């Protein structure tokens, strides 16, 4: 069960005012990722609610991709019985920043490796390159839209 069904593809939401200091890079301009004003930050409950329009339905470890004022995507892991599920919910704009996506995914893959739990990912294969992206990171297809990763 995806935590935010039907939310993929909506426009970027404005960051809550209280989250802006955490997301800003202070100097502005190009950050160390080479992305203009693009940051990877912990996804607080406030950021998740601003992005998805509702509170997250389960406990999760999440990141957000933000620029100075907008939330461009969230992703992370949630527990589901004896496994965990990796997820991403991205705007079209976030998909145009591959360096930020790779950096965020690298962090989440570290969490996956640390946990040593079987990990699944649900994928909307209508989104161009979504399945290929999962396969690039070592997930293998079990069924249409269902992928598995295990060290």
């Amino acid at each position: 069960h995806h935590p935010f069904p039907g939310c993929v593809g909506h426009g970027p939401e404005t960051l809550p005012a209280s989250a802006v200091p955490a997301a800003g890079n202070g100097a502005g301009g190009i950050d160390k990722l080479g992305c203009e004003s693009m940051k990877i930050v912990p996804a607080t409950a406030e950021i998740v609610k601003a992005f998805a329009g509702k509170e997250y339905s389960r406990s999760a470890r999440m990141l957000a991709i933000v620029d100075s004022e907008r939330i461009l995507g969230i992703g992370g892991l949630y527990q589901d019985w004896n496994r965990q599920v990796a997820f991403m919910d991205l705007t079209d704009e976030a998909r145009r920043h591959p360096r930020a996506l790779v950096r965020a995914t690298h962090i989440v893959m570290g969490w996956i490796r640390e946990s040593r739990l079987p990990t699944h990912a649900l994928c909307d294969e209508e989104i161009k390159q979504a399945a290929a992206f999962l396969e690039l990171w070592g997930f293998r297809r079990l069924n249409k839209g269902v992928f598995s990763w295990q060290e």
Side-chain angles (χ1 to χ4, degrees):
H1 297 96
H2 191 278
F4 302 114
C7 291
V8 174
H10 52 79
E13 300 300 327
T14 302
L15 272 173
S18 62
V20 172
N25 64 7
I30 307 296
D31 67 14
K32 67 181 181 179
L33 298 174
C35 303
E36 187 172 339
S37 303
M38 200 64 52
K39 296 298 246 179
I40 311 293
V41 299
T44 64
E46 190 174 26
I47 288 173
V48 171
K49 187 171 184 176
F51 180 77
K54 60 183 174 182
E55 292 182 8
Y56 195 66
S57 60
R58 53 177 85 218
S59 178
R61 190 173 186 186
M62 293 186 278
L63 296 173
I65 298 174
V66 300
D67 67 10
S68 60
E69 298 178 359
R70 297 169 305 151
I71 307 161
L72 302 178
I74 59 173
L77 300 170
Y78 64 85
Q79 296 293 310
D80 186 35
W81 297 91
N82 60 350
R83 68 175 181 161
Q84 59 191 355
V85 178
F87 68 93
M88 276 187 190
D89 191 358
L90 305 171
T91 62
D92 291 337
E93 184 174 348
R95 290 182 186 89
R96 291 190 294 270
H97 295 279
R99 293 182 78 183
L101 287 176
V102 166
R103 178 69 183 129
T105 303
H106 181 73
I107 293 167
V108 173
M109 291 303 297
W111 296 346
I112 290 171
R113 287 182 184 97
E114 287 173 9
S115 74
R116 300 187 174 274
L117 289 173
T119 303
H120 290 97
L122 305 178
C123 174
D124 181 351
E125 296 195 48
E126 299 297 315
I127 297 172
K128 185 179 178 183
Q129 300 297 319
F133 189 78
L134 284 171
E135 290 168 343
L136 177 71
W137 288 91
F139 283 84
R140 70 181 197 287
R141 184 186 314 265
L142 298 178
N143 294 303
K144 182 176 171 116
V146 180
F147 290 75
S148 176
W149 186 92
Q150 190 170 4
E151 194 168 41

